Amino acid sequence: MRILKLLLSILILTQSTNIFAQKTPAINQKMQWFADAKLGIFIHWGIYSVNGISESWAFYNNYINHDAYMKQLNGFTAEKYNPQEWVNLIKESGAKYAVITTKHHDGVSLWDTKAAKATTAINNSAAKKDLISPFVEDLKKAGLKTGLYFSLPDWSYPDYDIFTRDRKRYDFKAEPKRWNNFLNYYQTQLKELSTQYKPDLVWFDGDWEHTAKEWQTDKVRAILKNNNPNIIINSRLDENGDYETPEQGVPVVKPESKYWELCYTMNDSWGYQPYDNHYKSSNMIIRTLVDCISMGGNLLLDIGPKADGTIAPQQVKILKDLGRWTKKHAEAIYETQAGIPSTHFVGKTSLSKNKDVLYLYIDYKTANGLLLSGIKSKINKVEIVGNKAPVKIVKLNETDYLLDLNESAFDNDVTVLKVSLNEPIELSDEKLKSISMETLFSSKEESTPINLRKLAADLNNGINLFQSTNLVADGLGFKSGVENGNQDINDWVIKHAEALYKTTTGIPAGHYQGKTVLSADKQTLYLFVEGKPTGPIAIKGLKNNISRIRIVGEGTMLPHEIYNKLYWSKIPGIVYIPVPEDKLDKQLTIIAVLLDAPIDLYREKVGAIESNM
């Protein structure tokens, strides 16, 4: 009997393994277009664009009552709506797919739904037309993938249990008939969307209000897969979708999920809000796309059209600027995967599918060359993507290289180098040898930039060779002890003494692109800035308030601005610091960021945000 049980167990295990082996390639195959796409455009369009108020949440949170909110239907004209223009702009941006709101939490459906008691743009708004069908038709004609956003909650529907934050219509457990009416309603709408538009992707939202069993998520999946077995569903149906959707908070480190997408606004609003002028620059958006690419994810960049169907000029400009960069660097964007650890290069990186091409993304300009370290594979060639300018390769040792290009060859936003290897990339586990005082101070002029970067790397790792010297905080009276020492190095050390004197290990990788150190009390963060940044430098995941920011050795005070700090979210916004070109050190600049307390960093797992206020 025991033998029979053992054989049965082995048989079951074998079958399970075979099923998993068959299922995994199928999942990977259906997700391939999504993984390759890298850029999508999110469209939040609805009646909330009339008054420029918070979409749906405005009445849910009692900022405005429901009747007043729904009066916006009368101003939602879509009179200048031209879906072909939208699609042309989306394609020009370099996006490979778009996701449009078919229905937000306010329950206003933008297509001609036949579900009972539905509020629709065609029957209830001034637009008097189906707004989804022509857009999807043009999207498919353009060869772009179709994504449909759908809200599970419908706070306007008479048989949905929740109305506002403070009011419920009924207890759905006590009145199952009403709840079943709602389930039939929303599942009917999903059948319509699935049948009429055959979307490649469905982007759910709002699952936090009920359990998966209450939503009947298994039934929903069956409905959607009936028309498209390979349909992709995000993680907001029941937290078990095909990919994760972090919102606004750019991940500090690569998310755990194999597939993920950052949904991200251009300003602070999803829908159109005329007085929200807190737009990120095109440079910042391009660098955010690069950040996502380097961690193997996608950027889903949001636009919020106006009530008349036009798109704000600030948003059009960002899409066109994005298109300039994506067109030039296409080969380093699509069909790439996550890059190599940041210890090998100061900048973001990605790899080709077979890992024999390494792409380096540089958001600064420099005449001092670019240090690429720890590459065991042979480098066959280095090219500038989208530019025929030459790249000089200096091999420093068996694994380290200095890549030099003319400053005029740099892109104004992000330059990309293509490093072709003779095999899938192999990295060295060996750490760079710590620089000695003698090497640092006896170096020739041409070696100064490299040695200062090695010094910064040592300091970042907690190796401070100045601890045993006479260096003090103001640098006065410093003597290196190296005979005939390099005066440029000596001057640089004296100028930046406060960042070298008693400083300790820097912050973990991911929070800042370059090297860092901390003051002994952990309350001042020092940032090493290479070259001339093409835009403001950025810090991610900083919980602290900032007291002041200075350029070390210059004393110049710098401003900062925070983007994407959502008041209802614990995820910190990104700190952006503009660095004036005329204050940059010719070798290596250091910025001092004084905090309100010892440094506190956000480094938690990034997933779907499940509430809003």
Side-chain angles (χ1 to χ4, degrees), residues 339-349 358 360 364 370-376 399-401 403 425-432 457 509 513 515:
I340 60 179
S342 60
T343 49
H344 297 276
F345 180 70
V346 176
K348 308 299 180 184
T349 63
L358 171 66
L360 309 176
Y364 55 94
L370 303 159
L371 182 61
L372 177 63
S373 61
I375 309 298
K376 291 174 71 174
T399 61
D400 302 338
Y401 300 83
L403 309 177
I425 193 166
E426 267 196 82
L427 301 173
S428 171
D429 294 328
E430 295 181 19
K431 293 182 179 179
L432 284 174
Q513 180 170 276
K515 308 303 181 185

Side-chain angles (χ1 to χ4, degrees), residues 215-429:
W215 289 122
Q216 297 182 345
T217 57
D218 287 343
K219 185 176 179 181
V220 167
R221 277 193 174 81
I223 289 170
L224 297 176
K225 290 185 177 182
N226 186 52
N227 283 304
N228 180 7
N230 292 320
I231 196 164
I232 295 173
I233 299 172
N234 72 342
S235 62
R236 300 191 188 195
L237 179 60
D238 51 16
E239 299 184 15
N240 292 303
D242 296 306
Y243 68 96
E244 284 200 36
T245 57
E247 179 175 326
Q248 298 288 47
V250 182
V252 174
V253 293
K254 185 181 184 300
E256 294 176 7
S257 175
K258 182 175 181 180
Y259 306 106
W260 63 274
E261 163 199 82
L262 170 68
C263 54
Y264 202 64
T265 56
M266 293 181 175
N267 51 6
D268 292 331
S269 309
W270 294 104
Y272 175 68
Q273 293 192 18
Y275 305 112
D276 180 1
N277 292 311
H278 197 221
Y279 280 95
K280 304 167 190 74
S281 67
S282 300
N283 174 274
M284 291 156 68
I285 296 290
I286 290 168
R287 286 162 55 203
T288 298
L289 171 61
V290 167
D291 212 348
C292 293
I293 292 169
S294 73
M295 292 185 280
N298 292 5
L299 173 64
L300 184 64
L301 182 66
D302 182 69
I303 59 174
K306 298 178 182 181
D308 66 1
T310 58
I311 299 172
Q314 300 97 316
Q315 298 180 23
V316 172
K317 181 181 186 305
I318 288 173
L319 291 178
K320 286 183 174 291
D321 289 347
L322 190 56
R324 177 206 70 82
W325 189 83
T326 56
K327 183 178 180 181
K328 179 180 177 181
H329 301 98
E331 72 166 282
I333 301 171
Y334 314 109
E335 301 184 16
T336 58
Q337 58 182 302
I340 60 179
S342 60
T343 49
H344 297 276
F345 180 70
V346 176
K348 308 299 180 184
T349 63
S350 74
L351 289 163
S352 61
K353 279 188 178 179
N354 57 5
K355 298 187 177 184
D356 64 351
V357 175
L358 171 66
Y359 294 104
L360 309 176
Y361 306 88
I362 308 121
D363 56 7
Y364 55 94
K365 301 178 180 181
T366 180
N368 294 327
L370 303 159
L371 182 61
L372 177 63
S373 61
I375 309 298
K376 291 174 71 174
S377 309
K378 179 186 175 184
I379 294 179
N380 292 332
K381 185 167 57 172
V382 179
E383 306 166 87
I384 304 173
V385 177
N387 190 321
K388 295 182 179 179
V391 178
K392 181 182 178 183
I393 307 172
V394 179
K395 190 169 184 178
L396 303 175
N397 52 50
E398 287 304 307
T399 61
D400 302 338
Y401 300 83
L402 188 70
L403 309 177
D404 198 10
L405 55 154
N406 192 292
E407 204 167 339
S408 63
F410 283 90
D411 186 83
N412 286 332
D413 292 304
V414 179
T415 306
V416 186
L417 295 187
K418 177 182 180 181
V419 181
S420 300
L421 308 168
N422 69 331
E423 62 180 347
I425 193 166
E426 267 196 82
L427 301 173
S428 171
D429 294 328

Side-chain angles (χ1 to χ4, degrees), residues 137-187:
E137 184 180 348
D138 286 332
L139 204 62
K140 290 179 182 292
K141 283 180 182 176
L144 301 178
K145 296 290 186 179
T146 302
L148 301 180
Y149 169 106
F150 184 85
S151 169
L152 291 165
D154 188 327
W155 294 328
S156 296
Y157 194 72
D159 285 324
Y160 186 63
D161 60 329
I162 296 171
F163 183 38
T164 69
R165 182 171 296 281
D166 300 317
R167 295 175 63 187
K168 290 186 68 173
R169 291 186 177 88
Y170 65 97
D171 181 349
F172 77 98
K173 291 181 180 178
E175 299 186 56
K177 185 176 179 180
R178 290 186 72 180
W179 180 247
N180 284 331
N181 286 341
F182 171 72
L183 291 178
N184 182 63
Y185 159 76
Y186 102 80
Q187 290 167 14

